[in-house]
Amino acid sequence: MSTQKVAFITGGNRGIGFETARKLGKLGIFPVIGARDEAAGREAVEKLKTEGINAESIRFEVLNEADYTAAYTYFENKFGKLDILINNAGISREGEPFAAIGRERATSGLSREALRDTMEANFFAVVFITQALLPLIQKSDAGRIVNLSSTLGSLGLHSDPDSQIYAVKMFAYGASKTALNAFTVHLAHELKDTTVKVNSVHPGWVQTPLGGSVAPMTPEDGAETSVRLATIGADGPNGGFFFLDDTLPW
C-alpha cells in the first residue's frame, strides 16, 4: 500500500478541478485526474509535471458506470487505497447564472432532458462513484470526500427575497446540488464513527464555462475550499457545507 496520499479529482483536467489537483500536488499529495477526454487528461498531467508535480490521469466519464469499475481497479492495483475523493465534475443545462435571472418559464418550461441530464451528472453519478470507491477510501488512515456543491442548492437562500441568489433560479442545477448536500449529510452520519470525513463545498462564483466570464473569482480561488476540506485533520468537520470566504459574492 502506498504511503503517499492519493487524491482522485473528477473533471480534473481544467478549471477548478485542475487547480485543485495542482494545489494538492504542491502539498505533496499525488493527484489523479479523471477526464472524459484522455488526451485532455494527459495534457493536464504534462502541465503539472512542468511545475514539478507528479500526477496521472485516467479516463473517467461520470455517466459511464464501466468507468467506476475501472477507477476502482486502478486505485486498488496501483495504490491499495484512496485517501481523497473530490467529486468536482458537474454540468449545467441552463446557461450562466446571470442568464437565468428573469428567464420566462425557467422552472415550468424546463425540459425533461435538461432535468434528467443534470441530476444524473451532478447527483446520481456522485453517489454511485462514491459508493464504488468507498471501500478504498476506508482503507486510508484519514479518508476525505469533498462534494462540489453551490449556494444555489440552498432552499433557505432561494426562499429569502434579501439573499444574493434569490433571483437566480436554475431549477435543475439547484435541485441537483440540494440533493447532493443531502447525500453529504447522510453519508457523513453513516461514517461518523470512522476516520472518513464527508463535506460539501461552495467554490464561489468562478470564471468557468458554468460560472461565466463576469464571475469575480478565478479557478485558482475556487479550488481553495476543496483543498482545505480535503486536507482537514482528525478534529475537522464532518457533514457540513463550507465556503472559504463569506465576504465574496454568493
Side-chain angles (χ1 to χ4, degrees):
M1 184 178 292
S2 173
T3 57
Q4 185 180 19
K5 283 194 174 183
V6 181
F8 181 39
I9 305 100
T10 66
N13 57 291
R14 64 176 187 170
I16 296 171
F18 178 76
E19 292 299 336
T20 301
R22 182 170 162 269
K23 288 176 181 291
L24 290 173
K26 288 192 171 183
L27 293 175
I29 296 166
F30 190 90
V32 177
I33 288 171
R36 286 184 301 176
D37 183 322
E38 292 182 78
R42 289 193 296 268
E43 184 179 343
V45 167
E46 290 306 311
K47 246 169 116 176
L48 292 176
K49 286 182 178 178
T50 64
E51 299 184 44
I53 298 170
N54 288 323
E56 290 187 5
S57 68
I58 60 173
R59 183 191 181 280
F60 187 76
E61 163 57 64
V62 296
L63 300 181
N64 184 357
E65 292 193 28
D67 286 353
Y68 305 172
T69 302
Y72 181 94
T73 301
Y74 166 83
F75 286 106
E76 170 70 13
N77 292 343
K78 191 169 183 70
F79 305 103
K81 62 165 183 173
L82 177 61
D83 299 285
I84 298 166
L85 171 61
I86 298 186
N87 287 307
N88 170 81
I91 65 168
S92 171
R93 295 284 186 249
E94 296 156 285
E96 297 180 7
F98 269 156
I101 298 174
R103 180 183 293 148
E104 186 178 356
R105 299 184 66 234
T107 301
S108 65
L110 184 69
S111 72
R112 295 178 181 181
E113 293 75 17
L115 180 57
R116 285 174 174 153
D117 288 351
T118 305
M119 292 300 291
E120 283 287 348
N122 294 358
F123 175 59
F124 289 114
V126 174
V127 173
F128 299 150
I129 186 57
T130 303
Q131 289 175 334
L133 296 179
L134 185 57
L136 292 176
I137 298 169
Q138 291 176 305
K139 290 184 179 182
S140 170
D141 292 335
R144 301 290 181 261
I145 300 170
V146 179
N147 296 324
L148 267 287
S149 186
S150 170
T151 54
L152 293 178
S154 170
L155 299 181
L157 291 177
H158 271 303
S159 303
D160 180 2
D162 294 325
S163 82
Q164 292 174 306
I165 71 161
Y166 182 70
V168 187
K169 294 295 187 275
M170 300 169 65
F171 173 54
Y173 184 79
S176 72
K177 297 304 184 180
T178 304
L180 179 61
N181 291 342
F183 173 59
T184 295
V185 170
H186 283 257
L187 184 61
H189 182 269
E190 177 184 322
L191 300 173
K192 62 184 172 59
D193 296 322
T194 75
T195 59
V196 179
K197 294 185 182 295
V198 190
N199 290 287
S200 286
V201 301
H202 169 58
W205 186 15
V206 179
Q207 297 163 15
T208 64
L210 195 156
S213 59
V214 299
M217 295 174 63
T218 66
E220 186 175 1
D221 297 329
E224 278 294 325
T225 313
S226 293
V227 172
R228 293 282 184 93
L229 270 295
T231 56
I232 53 173
D235 59 346
N238 185 45
F241 176 91
F242 297 94
F243 178 37
L244 208 59
D245 186 353
D246 289 332
T247 66
L248 292 172
W250 295 13

